[in-house]
Amino acid sequence: MTITRYALVASLVGALAVPLLPGVATARSRPACDTAPAPRPDAEQARLADPRTAAFTERADLGEFVARFPAALCSTRNAAEARSLVDSWGRALWRAAVDRAQERRPGGDLPARDDRPLYWTRLAMTVRLAQWRPAFPADTGALRARFEDASRGLLDNEFSGTPGLRRVFVSGFDPFGLDGELRRANPSGAAALRLNGLRITLADGTRAEIRAVLLPVRYADFDLGIVERAFGPRLSPGPRSADQITTVSQGYPGLFTVEAWAGRARSADPYPDNTGALSGGTREHPVTAPGLGPGPEFIPTTLPASAMTAVQQPYPVALNTTVTEIPAGADAPVDREDGPTPGSRAVEGGGGGYLSNEVAYRSNRLRLDLAPRLPGGHLHTPVLTGLPASSDQLTGPDLERNEAAITDEVLDILRHATP
């Protein structure tokens, strides 16, 4: 199956006014276009030097996206066309990954639910974009941001607005910790791909539609408002707004947790993000993230935790009420198992002081501004285990079985998350 099925040919023809499929411009019709060695890669892009990263793309039958993207870029004649093209290719990649996760796009020998092919394919395409030397002025940094948003489900991924359908909005994350193990997957990302667009019946008999986005593990993107861009349109009043939001990330071994509290601080250093960047905050000296609007130190979940924790198979589900705070009048952090005390400074929410906690805080801070009665909170999945011992094996039966079990239980928990 080729990329053209996913590349919105009609919209490209309308936007570009040229009858070209993405990536198949001819020498006669294509403007002059040069490529050059990519600028020095960041730590995330540098991992592409490992040949296993390309194998994720090829073994998921997504190789055409990388191979044909440079020619598609060279078919553009001005900055407006370039913006339209990266939007379209980003949306096409997102749809291909969703279709693959939901077994509508056969191809390759990696499991359908595997979130890693989307991650490595997107990253390889950002390098191709950085190598592009257009014949007109273009801000490739801004184009990358547009491509990232589109390929993560932030564009043209609205609820249908069908009357009578409850609208559930979910976010997941890219793989992370890749310097320790390049083959790592993230079950929250797999769940986002598996769930996007599904219509399900909730435990109370209500019908619901799920929409999902997949967020980067990068502080800089959070600083620039990717969480607010993802959640803002779904929280603004209207027939396509969410009725419930749930951020999802990978958490603890062998256990799902509904996090009772999200904290305002970053405090995860020296643990880096996927580019090697640090937050600037530690347990002893937490910091507030740049670009974060005013809000309380801790935000409680408003998800129906008792209903969600009724799910106990195959993994147990628990409500996590622990936080770390600096009490009012004190200067040292204190761990508390029963939530924060009045006037304290946040150090860690139930999800720690890393980006999994921050996505919960940012999305629910925005919810308090735009839709305070709407249920919202954070769900941690179990750690995904089961990688084969041999480093040249990308997948194996244990990994695939565990990932399927976790993503299926995410869906079961959401089915029970009724007010």
Side-chain angles (χ1 to χ4, degrees), residues 128-141:
R128 302 303 188 274
L129 178 59
Q131 292 173 318
W132 176 48
R133 297 294 180 267
F136 51 84
D139 183 342
T140 54

Side-chain angles (χ1 to χ4, degrees), residues 115 136 285 288 386:
D115 63 307
F136 51 84
H285 299 285
T288 299

Side-chain angles (χ1 to χ4, degrees), residues 271-403:
Y271 192 82
D273 71 5
N274 272 350
T275 67
L278 298 175
S279 72
T282 65
R283 178 181 167 90
E284 290 71 27
H285 299 285
V287 299
T288 299
L292 191 59
E297 288 296 305
F298 291 96
I299 298 176
T301 186
T302 52
L303 291 173
S306 59
M308 296 168 75
T309 55
V311 179
Q312 291 293 314
Q313 293 294 331
Y315 297 94
V317 185
L319 177 65
N320 180 22
T321 59
T322 61
V323 300
T324 303
E325 64 176 14
I326 299 175
D331 57 9
V334 175
D335 297 328
R336 297 201 182 276
E337 295 189 1
D338 55 353
T341 57
S344 67
R345 168 79 163 97
V347 177
E348 295 182 357
Y354 195 50
L355 292 171
S356 58
N357 169 77
E358 188 170 326
V359 70
Y361 185 91
R362 282 184 179 269
S363 60
N364 283 281
R365 192 211 65 80
L366 192 63
R367 177 183 61 78
L368 292 177
D369 284 347
L370 299 177
R373 296 183 183 86
L374 184 147
H378 189 78
L379 177 69
H380 264 123
T381 75
V383 173
L384 178 60
T385 60
L387 278 169
S390 176
S391 62
D392 62 350
Q393 290 183 262
L394 302 185
T395 190
D398 290 342
L399 180 73
E400 295 171 21
R401 181 170 52 253
N402 293 341
E403 187 164 52

Side-chain angles (χ1 to χ4, degrees), residues 239-289:
R240 296 175 187 262
S241 63
D243 295 309
Q244 178 176 303
I245 61 170
T246 304
T247 54
V248 186
S249 65
Q250 182 175 233
Y252 309 101
L255 176 71
F256 277 93
T257 53
V258 179
E259 302 302 337
W261 298 94
R264 186 172 174 80
R266 289 179 178 173
S267 57
D269 293 356
Y271 192 82
D273 71 5
N274 272 350
T275 67
L278 298 175
S279 72
T282 65
R283 178 181 167 90
E284 290 71 27
H285 299 285
V287 299
T288 299

Side-chain angles (χ1 to χ4, degrees), residues 14-36:
L16 305 183
V18 287
L20 296 173
L21 299 180
V24 292
T26 64
R28 176 181 300 175
S29 62
R30 188 174 68 211
C33 181
D34 294 323
T35 60

Side-chain angles (χ1 to χ4, degrees), residues 159 166-173 188 191-192 195 202 209-215 227 230-231 234-235 242-249 256-259 301-305 308 356 359-361 363-364 367 374-381 409-411 413-418:
F159 290 104
R166 185 172 177 80
R167 297 176 294 275
V168 178
F169 188 60
V170 176
S171 67
F173 272 109
S188 72
L195 299 177
L202 303 178
E209 177 183 355
I210 303 175
R211 289 287 163 180
V213 293
L214 225 170
L215 298 172
V227 175
F231 283 84
R234 279 81 178 192
L235 291 170
D243 295 309
Q244 178 176 303
I245 61 170
T246 304
T247 54
V248 186
S249 65
F256 277 93
T257 53
V258 179
E259 302 302 337
T301 186
T302 52
L303 291 173
M308 296 168 75
S356 58
V359 70
Y361 185 91
S363 60
N364 283 281
R367 177 183 61 78
L374 184 147
H378 189 78
L379 177 69
H380 264 123
T381 75
E409 191 165 351
V410 170
L411 177 56
I413 292 168
L414 292 175
R415 282 198 178 102
H416 285 77
T418 54

